[in-house]
Every structure is written in structure tokens, then in C-alpha cells.
């Protein structure tokens, strides 16, 4: 697999565009991804019981058509908790996009992010849609989907399948209201491989548990979280089917793209100063390992200790203990970076200056060794800073 300098339109047959329509005061806030041919599609959606109107419309479209021609996204208005009018507006957003592209409405996905509880400004939507173009500026799409993010989040890779080069690209937004549970923000992945929607869904479902479901910023699961994967077959490779070496290779590509985006989201958490990576190793099974890793990275006490550059391993051990996993804890090792702070469930001394270097880094890695198996679980998050409170206390103002 090769990482390339690309964007969401790098795979064959895809284009994208983004612009400022007026959902927000100044920044780009509206865009689309377009496939020149019907693309296989797979999706995962928020597990919040309160589901925003765009997700309802998109999920229905994916289930009905099993193909997708476009994804249209606005930022600044979530169109969530907006009742029947919000649902009608989401359908209108879908229909207007379909009309402009000359495609069936059920082949158009819609997504929205921003403030909850405000109706979609339809005049703004219509104006923005009139300006979007096919084969526009794909980098602008990456900017148009952002809310409180400080930077765009993109990745692109290629892989050989026989003599055919397949390209896969991803873009995401996510900074606050990020917590692992099914899907954790808005993420869109494009690919030019020949693969069915059913196989694509299988690959996505296998991969999301190890990637997007393993990040947390603040413990909040949004009403608008969604991940969509589109693959349009423009490479004309031999069809990728489950239970084959090619399917495993494709899944590895997807895992790389999703993990890269997940880590970028965690690093860009609202007010974040550090990325936290937790590795639980030598666990009895992967599920237990992932649950423990999520417990540690999601602990507010761990997150604040990392912000304060305090090697408070007791908070880490406590989070391991309340993860709800029945595993032996009598022989645990804990490391911060490469420095042990606990061996065989017993505290050990460490050099304070060396530890200061570990804690002051942009990424702090926590390793928990259970000595109880061979499984690995990883999770990613960020520290919890004063700025997180400022950003969310003043979100609407």
C-alpha cells in the first residue's frame, strides 16, 4: 500500500467541490462529492436515539438503491431536532441535488453538521447548490464540511490488485461531540474498485469497530454522525469478493484510511493540545482489549492529567479496572511512552526528567500489558483543556 498526496476526488470517476453559501458567516460551508457512474455504497450511522433528519433520508436512500451518485453536505446547521419540517427540508435537499445532476433522488446522500435545533435556511441551500460544479475544487470540499475543526482531515492511498491500481481516499470532520459508538462524526471514503455494496458493507462493519469506534474526545455521541463509503468500479479490476486474499487486502486499505482519519479527529479535539494513544496488549481477546483501551482514553481524569503533563498512572489503572471487562489484573505493566511506571502490578520509580520529555510531547502513548493473552486493542483521544470549556460554553454565541 502506498500513501499518496491526494484528496477525496483522487479515485477514478469522482469529483468534488466546496464553497461558502452562507450557512456560516465567512468560512466555506457547502459542498458535494459526485461519482460519474453509480457507486456501490455502505454506511454506518449514529446510535444516538435522537437522529437528525439528513441521516434518516440518507439511510433510507442507501437501503433502497444500494447505489450512490452524490453526497451533498452543509456545515453550520445540523437540521436536527427540527421535526417534520426538518425531514421535508432534508428530502428537498436531496431532490434539488438530484435534479441538478440529472440522477434519481435515492442515489443522493445528504449530510448536515452544526447547530442543533435550527431549521435549514432553504434559500441559502438553493443559492449554494446553484454554484456547485462537477469537477470543482476537491480541497474546498474538505474545508466546507468543517465546524470547530482547526484543520482539514484527508488521506489517500493506492494498492495493486493484480495489474490494476486501486485508489482509496477519505475525508472527515470531527472535533467535538466525538465518542466511540457505531460512527463518530462525518466521514466520507471514495474508491474506484469493483466491489458490491454487500461486500463493501461487510468490510466497513469489520473495520469501524477498530477505528472510528475507538476514538473519543468528550463522551458525547452526536445526532448527526455518519460514515459513508462509495466505490464506483472505474478501475475495472476483477471484482473483490469476501473470503478472498483481495478482500483482505481491500479491508486493510479501508482500515488504514479509517484509522488515519480517526487519529486526526482525535488529535483535533476541541481545545486539544495532545493526541493520546492507548495500547492494551497481551489481552485475552480483542473485544476486551478495545473496551479497556476506550475506558482509559475516555477517562476525564486521565485526559486532564495528560493536559497537565502529570504521569498519574493511578488514574490509568482505575480506568482499566472499571472498563467492565473480567480479566486478571494481578500482573499488569503500564508504560508512558517507553518508561515503565508499573511492572507486575507494582509501582516502579522513573527518571523525572525523562518523564517530563514524554509528557510534554504532542502525542502521549499509554501501554497497558495484561500478560493474559495475545490480543491487542487500541484507542485514540485527546487531552481535556481549558479551551474545550470555552469553545463549548460559547458555541452558539
Amino acid at each position: 500500500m502506498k500513501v499518496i498526496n491526494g484528496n477525496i476526488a483522487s479515485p477514478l470517476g469522482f469529483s468534488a467541490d466546496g464553497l461558502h453559501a452562507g450557512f456560516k458567516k465567512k468560512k466555506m460551508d457547502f459542498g458535494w462529492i459526485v461519482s460519474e457512474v453509480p457507486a456501490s455504497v455502505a454506511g454506518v450511522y449514529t446510535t444516538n436515539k435522537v437522529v437528525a433528519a439528513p441521516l434518516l433520508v440518507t439511510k433510507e436512500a442507501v437501503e433502497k438503491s444500494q447505489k450512490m451518485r452524490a453526497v451533498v453536505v452543509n456545515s453550520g446547521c445540523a437540521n436536527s431536532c427540527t421535526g417534520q419540517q426538518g425531514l421535508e427540508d432534508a428530502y428537498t435537499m436531496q431532490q434539488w441535488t438530484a435534479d441538478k445532476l440529472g440522477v434519481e433522488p435515492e442515489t443522493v446522500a445528504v449530510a448536515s453538521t452544526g447547530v442543533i435545533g435550527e431549521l435549514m435556511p432553504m434559500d441559502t441551500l438553493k443559492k449554494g447548490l446553484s454554484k456547485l460544479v462537477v469537477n470543482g475544487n476537491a480541497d474546498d470540499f474538505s474545508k466546507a464540511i468543517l465546524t470547530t475543526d482547526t484543520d482539514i482531515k484527508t488521506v489517500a492511498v493506492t494498492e495493486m490488485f493484480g495489474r490494476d491500481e486501486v485508489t482509496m481516499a477519505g475525508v472527515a470532520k470531527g472535533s467535538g461531540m466525538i465518542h466511540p459508538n457505531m460512527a463518530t462524526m462525518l466521514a466520507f471514503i471514495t474508491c474506484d474498485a469493483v466491489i458490491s455494496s454487500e461486500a463493501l458493507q461487510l468490510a466497513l462493519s469489520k473495520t469501524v469497530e477498530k477505528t472510528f469506534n475507538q476514538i473519543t474526545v468528550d463522551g458525547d455521541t452526536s445526532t448527526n454522525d455518519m460514515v459513508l463509503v462509495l466505490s464506483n468500479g472505474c478501475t475495472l479490476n476483477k471484482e473483490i469478493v469476501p473470503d478472498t486474499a483481495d478482500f483482505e487486502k481491500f479491508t486493510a486499505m479501508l482500515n488504514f484510511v479509517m484509522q488515519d482519519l480517526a487519529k486526526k479527529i482525535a488529535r483535533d479535539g476541541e481545545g486539544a493540545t495532545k493526541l493520546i494513544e492507548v495500547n492494551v496488549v497481551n489481552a485475552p481477546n480483542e473485544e476486551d482489549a478495545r473496551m479497556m483501551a476506550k475506558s482509559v482514553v475516555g477517562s476525564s481524569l486521565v485526559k486532564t492529567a495528560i493536559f497537565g503533563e502529570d504521569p498519574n498512572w493511578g488514574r490509568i489503572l482505575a480506568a482499566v479496572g472499571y472498563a467492565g471487562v473480567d480479566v486478571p489484573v494481578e500482573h499488569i505493566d503500564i508504560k508512558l511512552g517507553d518508561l515503565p511506571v508499573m511492572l507486575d502490578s507494582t509501582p516502579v520509580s522513573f527518571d523525572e526528567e525523562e518523564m517530563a520529555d514524554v509528557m510534554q510531547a504532542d502525542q502521549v502513548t499509554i501501554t497497558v500489558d495484561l500478560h493474559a493473552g495475545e490480543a491487542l486493542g487500541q484507542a485514540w483521544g485527546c487531552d481535556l483543556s481549558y479551551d474545550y470549556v470555552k469553545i463549548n460554553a460559547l458555541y452558539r454565541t
Side-chain angles (χ1 to χ4, degrees):
M1 190 187 318
K2 179 181 178 182
V3 179
I4 62 172
N5 182 19
N7 54 44
I8 196 64
S10 292
L12 296 175
F14 283 99
S15 66
D17 194 22
L19 50 80
H20 174 250
F23 295 98
K24 296 188 289 190
K25 290 182 179 179
K26 295 181 179 179
K27 296 181 179 180
M28 292 186 181
D29 52 16
F30 194 57
W32 65 9
I33 302 167
V34 179
S35 175
E36 65 183 33
V37 297
S40 296
V41 60
V44 288
Y45 313 89
T46 187
T47 53
N48 193 317
K49 296 299 183 182
V50 179
V51 181
L55 269 72
L56 297 174
V57 172
T58 295
K59 188 175 182 180
E60 178 185 76
V62 169
E63 292 175 351
K64 181 178 180 180
S65 69
Q66 293 292 298
K67 294 290 182 181
M68 202 58 54
R69 290 294 304 274
V71 182
V72 60
V73 189
N74 76 280
S75 174
C77 176
N79 192 11
S80 178
C81 305
T82 46
Q84 183 60 34
Q85 185 60 54
L87 187 61
E88 292 176 6
D89 290 344
Y91 278 120
T92 300
M93 183 176 180
Q94 180 188 52
Q95 183 67 61
W96 285 352
T97 305
D99 290 344
K100 176 159 184 171
L101 292 171
V103 301
E104 294 299 319
E106 59 266 25
T107 64
V108 174
V110 295
S112 300
T113 181
V115 178
I116 292 173
E118 295 185 357
L119 289 172
M120 183 73 73
M122 299 306 286
D123 288 343
T124 300
L125 173 62
K126 181 178 287 187
K127 179 179 70 174
L129 191 59
S130 70
K131 296 179 181 179
L132 285 178
V133 298
V134 177
N135 296 316
N137 191 324
D139 290 330
D140 285 345
F141 177 85
S142 304
K143 300 172 185 176
I145 65 175
L146 305 181
T147 50
T148 57
D149 308 64
T150 64
D151 202 359
I152 63 173
K153 303 166 181 69
T154 61
V155 60
V157 297
T158 61
E159 180 67 277
M160 297 303 298
F161 288 77
R163 296 181 179 180
D164 302 308
E165 184 178 65
V166 167
T167 303
M168 182 182 293
V171 62
K173 65 82 51 184
S175 191
M177 291 191 81
I178 302 296
H179 186 64
N181 208 350
M182 194 57 180
T184 47
M185 71 286 109
L186 293 183
F188 308 105
I189 298 167
T190 56
C191 186
D192 49 23
V194 178
I195 184 171
S196 70
S197 294
E198 293 79 9
L200 198 59
Q201 186 67 54
L202 179 61
L204 175 59
S205 298
K206 285 179 59 176
T207 306
V208 72
E209 292 297 334
K210 299 179 181 180
T211 56
F212 291 140
N213 282 4
Q214 290 298 111
I215 60 174
T216 182
V217 169
D218 50 19
D220 280 317
T221 301
S222 170
T223 59
N224 291 58
D225 302 339
M226 176 167 57
V227 180
L228 287 180
V229 184
L230 282 66
S231 195
N232 63 14
C234 284
T235 295
L236 300 177
N237 59 288
K238 180 182 177 182
E239 183 178 356
I240 298 169
V241 297
D243 301 320
T244 63
D246 278 354
F247 183 76
E248 294 305 314
K249 186 188 293 187
F250 180 87
T251 303
M253 287 182 73
L254 188 59
N255 185 80
F256 181 91
V257 168
M258 291 169 67
Q259 185 179 109
D260 185 88
L261 293 175
K263 291 169 73 171
K264 286 173 178 173
I265 289 169
R267 178 62 184 86
D268 195 31
E270 289 173 337
T273 67
K274 302 176 189 296
L275 172 67
I276 305 171
E277 178 175 288
V278 179
N279 300 308
V280 175
V281 302
N282 297 320
N285 58 72
E286 286 190 8
E287 183 177 358
D288 288 350
R290 290 198 301 266
M291 287 181 65
M292 281 192 167
K294 282 198 292 187
S295 181
V296 173
V297 83
S299 164
S300 294
L301 291 179
V302 171
K303 292 158 80 68
T304 51
I306 299 300
F307 173 67
E309 299 177 354
D310 176 15
N312 194 331
W313 57 264
R315 295 181 176 182
I316 298 169
L317 186 61
V320 168
Y322 63 62
V325 177
D326 185 17
V327 298
V329 295
E330 292 82 11
H331 302 287
I332 291 179
D333 298 344
I334 297 177
K335 290 183 180 180
L336 291 169
D338 293 327
L339 297 181
V341 294
M342 171 173 280
L343 294 174
D344 201 27
S345 295
T346 302
V348 295
S349 60
F350 50 82
D351 184 277
E352 293 288 350
E353 290 186 2
E354 290 182 354
M355 183 60 74
D357 290 339
V358 170
M359 300 305 293
Q360 290 169 9
D362 290 339
Q363 175 175 332
V364 176
T365 301
I366 300 169
T367 303
V368 179
D369 190 337
L370 299 179
H371 295 288
E374 299 180 350
L376 165 69
Q378 294 180 292
W380 300 272
C382 60
D383 56 347
L384 199 56
S385 71
Y386 306 125
D387 284 341
Y388 175 84
V389 177
K390 292 179 182 178
I391 290 167
N392 283 282
L394 304 173
Y395 188 67
R396 293 186 69 254
T397 56

